[in-house]
C-alpha cells in the first residue's frame, strides 16, 4: 500500500482545489452549481492494507513512498478508521511471539465498519496448518475479550481459512433510515463510510417524487439499490460479480425490501436483452419479464473505464440518468454522448479519497 499524507490543516484547501479542477474538466458542459460533499479530515478509510516487515525478533507494518518506492515503518495510519488504528498495535504485538502466526506473514488487510465490526486477513508465503488455526483462534478470542468485534481470515497460495466469517455487517444512516449491508472480503465496497452515506442521501434526494421503476447497472452489493427503492415502484438491478450478487440478495432480505430484483448479468448482455437481440435463460429462470418494467430512470455506477458506446446509447433511452463516476475523465467522455439528448440538472463532488488526486463525481441528467 502506498502512502497518503494526512494533515487536517490542509484538508479544506485540497478539497477546494478538487472542486476547481472538476469544474474545469466539465467547463464545456452546461453544469449547475457544484454540490461538494466533504470527508472527515482523518480516520475516513474503512479499509487498509499493510505489508509486514520482519527484522530479527521485531515485526512491524510498512508502506511505500509513491514517488521513491522506499519502504517506511507505520505504527499508526491516520487515514484509516479509528477501529483499524486501535487494533494495529495490539495485533502486531500479539503476532510477534507466536511463530505459527508470524512465520512468513507478508501482509495484513483490515476491513472495518462504522458499526464497529472488523475483519483481518493475514497473508502468508507458506501453507497454513492446524497449528496456525489453533493459534489464530486463540488470538481472535483474546482480542474479542478486549472489546473488539473481530474475525480472521488466513490466506496462502490456493488456501483460505475463515474464522468464523468472511464478511462484516455495516450499518449506514441514510436520512432517518438505517440500512444494513453485508460487505465481503475482497469484494468492492465504498472505502469512505461517511462519504458513502452522503452519496446515498444525495441519490435519494435527486430521485424524490420519481414515477415508475428504476433500472440500475453495476449495482455491486445493492448499495444504492436499497436506498433508492423507497422512491420507485420497483428496482431492477444488474451485477456481474457473483459475491456482490450474493451480498445484494442478503441485503435485500435483511432490510425487508420487497421491490428490488437483482440479475447477474453484464451491462452489455443486459443491453442485448433489453433491445431483444438475445434471449437469456437466467431471465426466464427468475421469471423476469423485462417488458413489464416501466423504467424511465436509470442509475449507473460503472468501473473506472466508464460505459462503452453501446451502453451509453441504451442509457440515452431513459428520461432521467443518474451517473456516479470514480473517473471524471471517462465520465466526460460518456457525457459527450449523453448530452446529445440530456441536460445536466445536478452536479456533485464526493471526496471519497482525501489528499489524493482521485475524485468521485455524481450527475443527474434529464431529457432535453
Amino acid at each position: 500500500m502506498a502512502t497518503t499524507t494526512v494533515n487536517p490543516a490542509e484538508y479544506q484547501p485540497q478539497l477546494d482545489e478538487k472542486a476547481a479542477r472538476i469544474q474545469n474538466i466539465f467547463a464545456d458542459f452546461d453544469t449547475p452549481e457544484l454540490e461538494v460533499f466533504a470527508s472527515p479530515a482523518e480516520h475516513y478509510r474503512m479499509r487498509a492494507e499493510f505489508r509486514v516487515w520482519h527484522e530479527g525478533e521485531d515485526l512491524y507494518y510498512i508502506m511505500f513512498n509513491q514517488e521513491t518506492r522506499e519502504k517506511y515503518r507505520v505504527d499508526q495510519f491516520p487515514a484509516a478508521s479509528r477501529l483499524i488504528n486501535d487494533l494495529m498495535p495490539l495485533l502486531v504485538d500479539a503476532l510477534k511471539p507466536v511463530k505459527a502466526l508470524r512465520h512468513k506473514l507478508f501482509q495484513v488487510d483490515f476491513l472495518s465498519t462504522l458499526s464497529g465490526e472488523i475483519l483481518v486477513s493475514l497473508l502468508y508465503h507458506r501453507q497454513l496448518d492446524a497449528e496456525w488455526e489453533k493459534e489464530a483462534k486463540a488470538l481472535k478470542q483474546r482480542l474479542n475479550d478486549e472489546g473488539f468485534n473481530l474475525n480472521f481470515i488466513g490466506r496462502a497460495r490456493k488456501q483460505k481459512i475463515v474464522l468464523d466469517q468472511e464478511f462484516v455487517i455495516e450499518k449506514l444512516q441514510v436520512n432517518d433510515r438505517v440500512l444494513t449491508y453485508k460487505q465481503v472480503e475482497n469484494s468492492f465496497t465504498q472505502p469512505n463510510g461517511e462519504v458513502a452515506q452522503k452519496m446515498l442521501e444525495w441519490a435519494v434526494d435527486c430521485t424524490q417524487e420519481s414515477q415508475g421503476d428504476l433500472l440500475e447497472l453495476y449495482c455491486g452489493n445493492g448499495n444504492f439499490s436499497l436506498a433508492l427503492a423507497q422512491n420507485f415502484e420497483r428496482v431492477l438491478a444488474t451485477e456481474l460479480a457473483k459475491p456482490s450478487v450474493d451480498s445484494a440478495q442478503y441485503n435485500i432480505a435483511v432490510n425487508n425490501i420487497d421491490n428490488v430484483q437483482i440479475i447477474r448479468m453484464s451491462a452489455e448482455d443486459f443491453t442485448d436483452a433489453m433491445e431483444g437481440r438475445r434471449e437469456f435463460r437466467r431471465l426466464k429462470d427468475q421469471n423476469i419479464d423485462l417488458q413489464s418494467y416501466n423504467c424511465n430512470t436509470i442509475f449507473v455506477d460503472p468501473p473506472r473505464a466508464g460505459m462503452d458506446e453501446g451502453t451509453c446509447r441504451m442509457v440515452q433511452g431513459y428520461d432521467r440518468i443518474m451517473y456516479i463516476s470514480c473517473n471524471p475523465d471517462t465520465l466526460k467522455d460518456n457525457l459527450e454522448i449523453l448530452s446529445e439528448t440530456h441536460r445536466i440538472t445536478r452536479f456533485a463532488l464526493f471526496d471519497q479519497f482525501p489528499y489524493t488526486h482521485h475524485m468521485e463525481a455524481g450527475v443527474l441528467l434529464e431529457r432535453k
Side-chain angles (χ1 to χ4, degrees), residues 322-350:
M322 185 179 295
Y323 191 141
I324 297 287
S325 170
C326 58
N327 184 346
D329 293 327
T330 55
L331 172 61
K332 181 182 178 183
D333 292 342
N334 286 168
L335 286 177
E336 297 284 356
I337 297 173
L338 299 178
S339 63
E340 295 169 3
T341 50
H342 291 69
R343 60 190 176 89
I344 302 170
T345 56
R346 298 281 292 267
F347 182 32
L349 167 65
F350 304 101

Side-chain angles (χ1 to χ4, degrees), residues 128-328:
L128 304 179
D129 54 18
E131 181 69 11
W132 179 89
E133 191 163 351
K134 185 187 88 169
E135 294 292 356
K137 284 180 177 176
L139 177 55
K140 178 190 165 184
Q141 184 64 54
R142 193 157 81 249
L143 290 169
N144 283 341
D145 287 345
E146 293 187 30
F148 290 96
N149 185 353
L150 172 147
N151 286 288
F152 273 129
I153 294 177
R155 283 188 173 274
R157 191 166 182 267
K158 296 184 178 178
Q159 188 181 23
K160 176 179 171 183
I161 300 175
V162 179
L163 311 177
D164 288 292
Q165 63 188 44
E166 59 180 342
F167 59 87
V168 290
I169 299 297
E170 178 62 291
K171 294 183 183 296
L172 298 180
Q173 181 82 37
V174 183
N175 298 317
D176 58 351
R177 301 175 68 205
V178 175
L179 292 171
T180 299
Y181 294 93
K182 177 195 276 190
Q183 299 182 341
V184 179
E185 184 232 20
N186 275 357
S187 292
F188 175 78
T189 54
Q190 297 287 350
N192 188 321
E194 297 285 352
V195 173
Q197 292 181 146
K198 294 177 181 181
M199 291 172 71
L200 294 174
E201 290 181 346
W202 180 82
V204 169
D205 184 57
C206 284
T207 54
Q208 293 285 1
E209 300 176 9
S210 296
Q211 303 293 316
D213 304 322
L214 171 70
L215 172 62
E216 181 181 357
L217 307 183
Y218 320 96
C219 76
N221 70 350
N223 183 50
F224 284 96
S225 321
L226 303 187
L228 292 172
Q230 62 184 302
N231 287 346
F232 295 89
E233 291 177 27
R234 291 186 295 172
V235 177
L236 180 63
T238 72
E239 170 59 44
L240 188 56
K242 189 174 187 301
S244 294
V245 172
D246 292 343
S247 293
Q249 301 289 15
Y250 173 95
N251 296 337
I252 290 167
V254 77
N255 288 285
N256 297 310
I257 293 174
D258 61 6
N259 64 334
V260 176
Q261 175 77 56
I262 307 288
I263 311 171
R264 188 178 173 215
M265 292 181 85
S266 69
E268 293 77 14
D269 282 350
F270 186 80
T271 301
D272 285 347
M274 281 296 285
E275 296 183 355
R277 288 197 292 266
R278 293 170 61 194
E279 287 191 358
F280 291 86
R281 177 174 290 176
R282 73 195 75 167
L283 297 178
K284 290 183 178 179
D285 291 346
Q286 291 181 256
N287 293 317
I288 295 170
D289 177 9
L290 296 181
Q291 304 310 312
S292 74
Y293 281 84
N294 176 29
C295 299
N296 48 31
T297 304
I298 187 166
F299 181 96
V300 294
D301 184 5
R304 289 190 60 77
M307 296 188 293
D308 64 273
E309 183 177 351
T311 302
C312 283
R313 297 294 177 193
M314 185 271 281
V315 165
Q316 280 181 306
Y318 295 82
D319 292 339
R320 293 193 303 169
I321 306 163
M322 185 179 295
Y323 191 141
I324 297 287
S325 170
C326 58
N327 184 346

Side-chain angles (χ1 to χ4, degrees), residues 37-156:
F37 294 90
S39 167
E42 56 185 344
H43 301 306
Y44 48 84
R45 279 193 67 89
M46 297 292 104
R47 302 195 303 256
E49 302 170 359
F50 303 97
R51 298 300 289 267
V52 173
W53 196 254
H54 299 253
E55 197 169 274
E57 295 300 307
D58 202 7
L59 183 76
Y60 51 88
Y61 308 105
I62 62 167
M63 295 176 70
F64 295 93
N65 184 297
Q66 279 180 314
E67 293 168 3
T68 66
R69 298 306 296 166
E70 291 180 17
K71 69 178 188 301
Y72 62 95
R73 179 171 178 153
V74 179
D75 295 314
Q76 292 281 265
F77 186 50
S81 68
R82 292 190 185 278
L83 189 53
I84 292 174
N85 279 277
D86 288 346
L87 182 58
M88 283 173 67
L90 297 177
L91 178 64
V92 81
D93 285 347
L95 292 170
K96 283 179 193 177
V98 185
K99 184 179 179 182
L101 295 179
R102 69 173 285 165
H103 183 52
K104 295 202 172 179
L105 172 70
F106 74 91
Q107 184 167 314
V108 179
D109 298 350
F110 297 90
L111 173 61
S112 66
T113 66
L114 297 173
S115 60
E117 294 191 15
I118 189 163
L119 180 63
V120 178
S121 299
L122 304 174
L123 283 63
Y124 292 85
H125 284 313
R126 69 175 178 91
Q127 291 299 289
L128 304 179
D129 54 18
E131 181 69 11
W132 179 89
E133 191 163 351
K134 185 187 88 169
E135 294 292 356
K137 284 180 177 176
L139 177 55
K140 178 190 165 184
Q141 184 64 54
R142 193 157 81 249
L143 290 169
N144 283 341
D145 287 345
E146 293 187 30
F148 290 96
N149 185 353
L150 172 147
N151 286 288
F152 273 129
I153 294 177
R155 283 188 173 274

Side-chain angles (χ1 to χ4, degrees), residues 4 14 17-19 21-22 25 66 304 326-329 349-360:
T4 300
Q14 69 90 34
E17 186 274 329
K18 280 184 181 178
R21 184 152 45 96
I22 201 166
I25 290 172
Q66 279 180 314
R304 289 190 60 77
C326 58
N327 184 346
D329 293 327
L349 167 65
F350 304 101
D351 197 19
Q352 280 268 17
F353 302 96
Y355 314 106
T356 75
H357 70 280
H358 293 293
M359 295 185 288
E360 194 104 357

